[in-house]
Amino acid sequence: MEDCERFVPELPEIANLAKQMTKQLKGKRITGLDLTQPKCLNMSVKKFRRIVGKTAGETTAHGKWLFTKLQSDDNLLLNLGMGGDLLYHKNDTTLPKKYQLRLAFNDNTGLTATFSWFGYIHLASDMELPRHKMTSKLGISPIDKEFTVEKLASLLSGRRGAIKSFLLNQENVAGIGNVYVQDILFKARLHPLRMTQTLTESEIEALHRSTCEALNQSIRLGGLKYERDLHGRYGKYGPEHFLVAYKTGKPCPVCKTAIVKIRTGSTASYICPKCQKL
Ligand SMILES: [Zn+2]
């Protein structure tokens, strides 16, 4: 790993957390609430207290957001931002010292959310959810079965601009960030600055395949090894699985050409200059 870019959880990490939260929290009633940073909320602390007494249902991943259904018509929306952790604890002996949100449940377990910045703790009723500003425009989740080649092609049709920006725009596809996008583009043999309107049918197919492969491989391995799951365990998806991401100077796994790091707009990109020609 050559640089210490701070990782933001992307879809594989969020999808794993959602699965674990459903398993641990579903059917449990919230009995206590502790908030330390009211500015992360989308309402006053007093209003937010309506969460106490509600029972948790399923949790689902929406891009970088976690939606937990609360009985009967409410939803807890969490975005861990950067350096965020969500930890489930069986009792109060191992509580993290710093936190933004802590929920206690009726079986004496708890959930603690910690983030360094850019995190959000929102509540939205079923009625309000479609109008929730930060999530209502989120695009399709690339691990949903609705994400087909045809769907990707239709999202791309009539669009202009670089393919990397398209993939990072959460309103197109939700949950891909600057870590996974590197190998997604490499596997599809696409330069990050390739213009979307020039993509051929077979290139779109390759892009669809590489997106599903990269994200699902990480999900199987429990997400990135820099991110912790609900039980504080790190994922197993690390640099040894990366193909070109963060591998400046290393040989391309296909043609052995040295991988280069380039600037693409506001982000850094890692490419094989031979396999990913512009
Ligand atoms: Zn190559």
Side-chain angles (χ1 to χ4, degrees):
M1 209 65 180
E2 62 168 63
D3 55 18
C4 47
E5 178 174 340
R6 193 68 208 242
F7 289 104
V8 179
E10 298 181 27
L11 190 58
E13 293 75 53
I14 300 298
N16 278 331
L17 280 173
K19 211 165 124 191
Q20 293 178 325
M21 283 172 79
T22 298
K23 190 174 171 205
Q24 298 297 341
L25 307 181
K26 196 176 168 186
K28 293 183 183 174
R29 189 165 44 84
I30 297 165
T31 53
L33 166 71
D34 192 358
L35 287 157
T36 64
Q37 212 172 319
K39 70 174 183 191
C40 304
L41 306 178
N42 59 336
M43 57 183 70
S44 67
V45 176
K46 198 176 158 202
K47 282 187 177 162
F48 197 90
R49 292 202 69 83
R50 75 181 193 217
I51 197 173
V52 178
K54 297 195 175 181
T55 300
E58 302 254 334
T59 298
T60 47
H62 299 262
K64 296 167 191 177
W65 287 79
L66 287 157
F67 286 16
T68 302
K69 178 82 190 130
L70 300 172
Q71 299 310 329
S72 60
D73 67 344
D74 224 347
N75 302 276
L76 173 65
L77 316 180
L78 288 173
N79 184 321
L80 298 174
M82 266 189 196
D85 267 324
L86 201 56
L87 201 65
Y88 177 72
H89 26 93
K90 287 215 154 70
N91 51 52
D92 56 7
T93 56
T94 52
L95 301 179
K97 280 194 186 73
K98 277 192 171 176
Y99 60 91
Q100 274 79 17
L101 166 74
R102 179 164 295 156
L103 294 175
F105 296 94
N106 60 318
D107 62 348
N108 288 323
T109 62
L111 181 75
T112 297
T114 313
F115 37 80
S116 47
W117 91 96
F118 290 145
Y120 303 101
I121 304 163
H122 289 185
L123 268 183
S125 69
D126 288 350
M127 287 267 283
E128 292 160 341
L129 193 56
R131 283 176 281 123
H132 180 253
K133 271 202 186 117
M134 300 179 85
T135 62
S136 63
K137 285 188 181 150
L138 282 178
I140 188 166
S141 172
I143 54 168
D144 285 357
K145 56 180 186 305
E146 289 80 22
F147 182 71
T148 58
V149 183
E150 294 72 30
K151 179 70 185 171
L152 179 61
S154 82
L155 288 170
L156 283 163
S157 94
R159 302 298 289 268
R160 293 182 169 273
I163 185 60
K164 185 180 181 188
S165 316
F166 172 89
L167 292 171
L168 292 183
N169 183 339
Q170 303 298 302
E171 294 183 12
N172 297 324
V173 188
I176 300 175
N178 204 39
V179 176
Y180 292 104
V181 76
Q182 312 289 347
D183 287 348
I184 287 173
L185 289 170
F186 171 74
K187 281 175 132 195
R189 303 289 183 268
L190 292 173
H191 190 284
L193 296 178
R194 180 69 185 278
M195 288 292 141
T196 51
Q197 65 271 27
T198 66
L199 293 177
T200 64
E201 220 171 282
S202 63
E203 284 174 327
I204 294 174
E205 267 176 44
L207 180 62
H208 177 264
R209 195 168 47 242
S210 69
T211 302
C212 297
E213 275 175 16
L215 299 174
N216 285 315
Q217 184 195 10
S218 177
I219 289 174
R220 279 195 302 277
L221 291 167
L224 277 178
K225 72 197 278 179
Y226 313 97
E227 299 290 342
R228 296 197 290 175
D229 70 5
L230 199 62
H231 307 288
R233 292 181 302 236
Y234 287 94
K236 293 191 177 70
Y237 189 73
E240 66 271 33
H241 301 100
F242 296 173
L243 300 172
V244 295
Y246 307 95
K247 304 245 171 175
T248 310
K250 301 263 166 45
C252 162
V254 172
C255 73
K256 308 287 181 246
T257 304
I259 291 159
V260 294
K261 179 181 181 180
I262 59 169
R263 284 308 299 174
T264 42
S266 60
T267 60
S269 292
Y270 301 83
I271 61 161
C272 167
K274 201 171 161 195
C275 295
Q276 293 166 276
K277 286 211 172 82
L278 189 57

